Amino acid sequence: MKTLHTYLTRQVLASLLLTVAVFTFVLLIGNVLKEILALLVGGQIGIGLVLRAVGLLIPFVLVYALPMGMLTATLLVFGRFSADQELTAARASGISLLSLAAPILLLSLALCAVCAAVNLWIGPLSRVAYKDLLVEARIKMAGSILPERRFVRDLPGFIFYIGRNDGRNLKDVKVYFIKDETNVFAKIWADRGFYEVNPTNNVLKLDLIDARGVTLVNGQWHPGFRGEWIFETNLTMMARSEESVSLTDMTFTQLAAELRELESRLNFPTPKKGSTTAELRAQMRSLKEQKDDLLPIRVQMNRQVAFSFACLGFTLVGIPLGIRMHRRETNVGVAVALVLVLIYYSFILIGQSLETRPEWAPHLIVWLPDFIFQAVGAALLWRANRGI
């Protein structure tokens, strides 16, 4: 029996390592393609920075890869175990399914602890460090902010186009002034210009010689500015303008501190002598609205904790489903795992989308997939143990 336990545990661990590696790679590719690959292809960053960025992203994607890997591993291992009639042989020897599954369930609990550390602290910290790395790269590579033959939209309120850039001198420069992110209301162009970056304060200075400008008025372009045009911006402020730490990038400790700080600012109603019922009701409504503003933080805190138990729910569901499928094909197990993952994550997404709707209790919705998967998984495992 001990040998059988060791065999199953090794099989699950081997499958877990493989599936986690695959899911981690896929999720990394998605993030790299979205945020890094364009900079690498454009020659704006080196391979060393890409490797550092990927290393910082790994803990972040492990938040999702570990539960998915555990579910897929249990489906595959117990599916093969059942298809090869090994489960039937074990039962004939008087070994119950619950006994066989006990080490795997203990492994899932250990992974829950790992997921908790990743969800609550390591993942958010690595994500913030990753964003800071990209900010640092943008600042250090100021020359790449104005690349040749490309529309640059990194500077808020402007679109730049540079025909030639030799590292300081510019040729064929066009500047579009925009509002509402897409509407152009003025343009400036110049045959030549130059730029420089102050390394002390990271200020970019752009100087266009003999520039000409036009302005859009009532749907028609009218000539306007002509002469030297100087533009300055702080690269640090520009790079960080959209990189402030959001709730999803905060650790559990930071979220708790933020919640305590906001709670300390709540204005509790203080009935005064002569206050009317209408005034008291207005004060209570104001207090309720202030408490509702805290709901997004509560939702994020509950999501981080609830998501840490995903491995246990997936394991409880994966073992009996793998036995019931009675299949050895890997593609079937992966397909079933993806469907179950989508169902699980749909509750998380619903809870986050309703974080401004307190009447729906979104901080409790994020716990529903854990309760459902664990209850259904426990029932299926009990039935499978009895051979039903």
Side-chain angles (χ1 to χ4, degrees), residues 49-287:
L49 190 141
V50 172
L51 294 176
R52 287 175 59 194
V54 169
L56 289 172
L57 276 176
I58 288 177
F60 176 72
V61 300
L62 278 179
V63 170
Y64 306 95
L66 277 174
M68 294 166 63
M70 190 62 189
L71 173 61
T72 307
T74 53
L75 284 169
L76 294 177
V77 171
F78 280 89
R80 288 195 297 265
F81 192 69
S82 177
D84 292 340
Q85 302 300 320
E86 291 175 303
L87 178 59
T88 304
R91 282 174 169 165
S93 302
I95 304 174
S96 68
L97 176 60
L98 288 179
S99 176
L100 292 173
I104 312 304
L105 294 175
L106 290 176
L107 174 62
S108 70
L109 288 174
L111 285 179
C112 285
V114 175
C115 287
V118 175
N119 284 326
L120 275 60
W121 294 286
I122 301 174
L125 288 175
S126 68
R127 180 66 176 175
V128 172
Y130 164 76
K131 290 184 176 181
D132 288 342
L133 180 64
L134 293 186
V135 169
E136 179 185 347
R138 294 191 187 111
I139 294 172
K140 287 182 177 180
M141 294 174 291
S144 66
I145 292 175
L146 301 174
E148 294 182 352
R149 299 177 183 178
R150 185 183 303 171
F151 289 96
V152 178
R153 296 176 171 83
D154 294 334
L155 301 172
F158 298 92
I159 298 177
F160 288 83
Y161 179 85
I162 310 297
R164 293 289 302 277
N165 181 351
D166 64 6
R168 185 175 186 274
N169 298 305
L170 307 174
K171 291 185 178 180
D172 300 327
V173 182
K174 297 180 178 65
V175 182
Y176 302 86
F177 296 73
I178 60 174
K179 61 180 178 180
D180 301 328
E181 298 185 357
T182 56
N183 299 324
V184 177
F185 66 91
K187 294 188 291 186
I188 288 179
W189 66 92
D191 294 331
R192 61 190 181 93
F194 63 91
Y195 74 95
E196 60 183 359
V197 178
N198 188 329
T200 303
N201 54 14
N202 290 318
V203 170
L204 168 69
K205 180 180 179 181
L206 175 64
D207 192 342
L208 301 184
I209 310 300
D210 193 20
R212 290 90 69 193
V214 293
T215 305
L216 184 64
V217 179
N218 297 327
Q220 294 188 354
W221 293 101
H222 297 270
F225 174 82
R226 188 178 183 92
E228 184 181 20
W229 186 74
I230 298 176
F231 171 78
E232 292 186 358
T233 185
N234 188 292
L235 296 178
T236 304
M237 298 301 296
M238 179 201 75
R240 294 187 183 275
S241 61
E242 298 180 358
E243 300 293 344
S244 57
V245 179
S246 62
L247 291 180
T248 55
D249 291 333
M250 288 185 179
T251 65
F252 188 84
T253 306
Q254 291 171 333
L255 289 169
E258 185 82 4
L259 182 62
R260 287 194 299 270
E261 181 181 354
L262 293 177
E263 285 179 336
S264 66
R265 299 178 184 175
L266 292 177
N267 296 319
F268 290 92
T270 53
K272 297 180 181 180
K273 187 176 181 180
S275 297
T276 64
T277 303
E279 290 174 340
L280 291 175
R281 287 178 178 175
Q283 291 178 359
M284 293 301 296
R285 283 196 300 269
S286 175
L287 178 61

Side-chain angles (χ1 to χ4, degrees), residues 290-318:
Q290 294 177 64
K291 289 184 176 181
D292 291 345
D293 292 338
L294 306 180
L295 192 58
I297 299 178
R298 297 185 188 278
V299 171
Q300 181 62 22
M301 293 176 70
N302 280 273
R303 187 201 70 83
Q304 288 184 348
V305 178
F307 202 24
S308 301
F309 293 94
C311 284
L312 178 59
F314 282 160
T315 303
L316 286 169
V317 170

